[in-house]
Structures are given as structure tokens and as C-alpha cells.
Amino acid sequence: MSPDHGQLSTGQQARQSSLDQVLDQLQASPELATDLFAVVDLLDDQPVLRRNLTDPGLPENARKGLAHGLLDPHLGTDAVTVVAEAATMRWAGGRSMVAAIERQAVRAELRTAAAGGNLDAVEDELFRFSRVVDGDAALRSAISDRSVPLANRQELVSQLLNNKVGDPTIQLARRAVAARERTFANTMKSYVTLAAAERNRAVATVRVAAPLDGEQADRLRAALSRQVGREIALQVIVDESVLGGVRVELGDEVIEG
């Protein structure tokens, strides 16, 4: 999840990968995700703190010590470990670091779902709710209207999802309202991609004129898996504008067939 919403640089990718490894060594828990999201909210609201934690003029140990001094009294050890490690890295700016920490918060939520055997359900629920919002102009506008307080828009999402999906899906959908990736749809898409990545799968969005049957889906999944060299998670969209065949979006690649 890049703050400039473009392709990540090699350096940014390396830092994200390093932070991924830090989180992967920790025990998945809802508390870890909650704590990391709390840090994201704090840093979003405190530009001076963001600058201090990413100031290249300060030694790494000083930035790490600042993170511990501020957060140790208030958050769990694991969350502080992630933030302190992020503070030792060189970021393009404070918002780059905040986006990287939010990525870890999302991954912590997804890893908790995986530990409970619910990751497939969360991935599917996120995708389906994103499609519902995308297909309803009034709802899409209500969720994205920045003249309405964020908390009110998040509560709308909760009301729509309560008793219909699991808690991890609700929490992530609420977070996506803030639209770290420019829009709610883009942010939800990034969450679905992270969910697939937790199982080393790539996401292929498939647009078809009519639903695929089981055999068609299996053949398409197998063909795409051979092409990219890993398993594929299919997200199928029935689109009446597709006159025939399929349109597959796989990362930045679009395949017509």
C-alpha cells in the first residue's frame, strides 16, 4: 500500500519485505492488529511525530528509542516491536512509514483469520462487499463522502455487515473507508491481494458475461497458475458488457480470451 499510489520502488519493496518478516515472527492476534491500527491513527494525526520517527538526521537507535518511549506504556510488546523496527528504516517520508505499518496491521488481522481457519471466507467477503459498493452509486458516494465524518461512514459499513460476515471482515472494511489507496475500492482490492499473498497466491479478477461452471473455473485457474508459477485465487465478476470469452486482470496484466 503505497502512499503515492504508484508502483513501489525497489527500496520500498525491500523495506516492506523486511517488515513482513518481523511480523511473521510474531504470534497472530486481534490485539496486535488493533494496536498497530492505533499507531496508524496516531501517526496520521501527528505530523511532527511522523517526521521525528523518520528523520534521517537522527540515528537509528534514537528513532527506535523514541518509538519505545512513546508506545511501551500503552501498547503490547509485539506491536511496539513492529513500529520500532519500522522507525530504523529509511522511508521516503512519514506517510510512507505509516502506510507500511498499516500494511502490517492488515496482515495481522488476516493472519489471525488464517489461524482460525477463516482466511478464505474473509477474502471472499471483502471481495463481495467491495463489488456491492462498486455497483451501488449512492452507497459508494456515502462511503467516500469526505464531508461526512469518517466515524459516521465507518458506522454505516458496520451496520451493513453486522451479522452477515465475520469480525475480521468488518474491521478491515471499516479501515478501508479511510481509503489509504485513494478509493475504498482500491483499498479493499489491496486487502484481498494481501489475503491471497498470505497463502502465496496471486489474485486474478475474471470478468465474464455468464457465471463460470466448476470445470471452466478449474481450467482457467490451472492455465493462469502455469503462467505465473503459483496458485491463483479467482475473483469472478459477471459483467454484461463482456460480449464473449473472458477478461482477466492479473496484477498489471490484462488478458483477453
Side-chain angles (χ1 to χ4, degrees):
M1 290 177 283
S2 164
D4 61 3
H5 315 297
Q7 292 295 320
L8 293 179
S9 69
T10 301
Q12 287 173 306
Q13 289 176 339
R15 286 186 287 274
Q16 280 194 354
S17 179
S18 294
L19 214 52
D20 284 353
Q21 292 174 33
V22 173
L23 188 83
D24 289 344
Q25 299 303 312
L26 304 174
Q27 181 69 38
S29 71
E31 292 75 22
L32 176 55
T34 298
D35 283 351
L36 288 173
F37 279 129
V39 173
V40 169
D41 292 340
L42 173 66
L43 295 179
D44 273 340
D45 290 339
Q46 299 290 332
V48 173
L49 180 55
R50 286 200 307 270
R51 287 196 295 271
N52 287 339
L53 286 173
T54 56
D55 184 354
L58 290 177
E60 289 182 8
N61 285 340
R63 300 196 302 269
K64 188 173 186 177
L66 175 61
H68 278 289
L70 288 171
L71 302 177
D72 279 345
H74 307 290
L75 300 178
T77 302
D78 286 352
V80 180
T81 295
V82 173
V83 178
E85 187 63 28
T88 68
M89 301 176 181
R90 284 186 173 269
W91 300 98
R95 293 196 180 279
S96 295
M97 186 183 75
V98 176
I101 294 172
E102 182 171 83
R103 170 189 169 91
Q104 300 311 320
V106 173
R107 292 189 67 239
E109 193 76 66
L110 293 171
R111 291 181 70 229
T112 300
N118 299 317
L119 186 55
D120 282 344
V122 171
E123 181 182 332
D124 186 62
E125 289 164 356
L126 289 171
F127 174 75
R128 292 185 182 282
F129 183 61
S130 179
R131 294 301 305 158
V132 168
V133 174
D134 192 53
D136 187 325
L139 178 56
R140 188 169 65 249
S141 176
I143 287 176
S144 62
D145 186 355
R146 293 182 181 270
S147 68
V148 177
L150 176 62
N152 292 18
R153 290 180 281 137
Q154 289 176 325
E155 181 58 27
L156 170 62
V157 168
S158 292
Q159 291 173 0
L160 290 170
L161 292 177
N162 276 343
N163 300 318
K164 298 176 182 176
V165 299
D167 286 342
T169 301
I170 294 174
Q171 295 307 315
L172 290 174
R174 283 175 57 91
R175 295 299 310 189
V177 175
R180 180 76 59 185
E181 294 285 354
R182 288 200 312 268
T183 67
F184 178 81
N186 285 349
T187 304
M188 289 283 275
K189 183 178 180 180
S190 74
Y191 292 176
V192 171
T193 299
L194 281 175
E198 286 298 310
R199 290 155 300 174
N200 193 33
R201 300 199 308 189
V203 175
T205 302
V206 180
R207 298 179 184 273
V208 291
L212 299 177
D213 61 31
E215 181 182 354
Q216 290 172 324
D218 288 344
R219 282 164 42 204
L220 179 58
R221 187 182 295 107
L224 293 171
S225 295
R226 287 194 299 271
Q227 180 170 327
V228 302
R230 56 176 167 157
E231 290 188 22
I232 292 292
L234 289 185
Q235 303 290 358
V236 179
I237 299 172
V238 177
D239 185 345
E240 294 179 356
S241 68
V242 178
L243 299 180
V246 298
R247 176 185 173 90
V248 179
E249 299 166 15
L250 186 57
D252 295 328
E253 186 176 1
V254 177
I255 304 166
E256 303 275 6

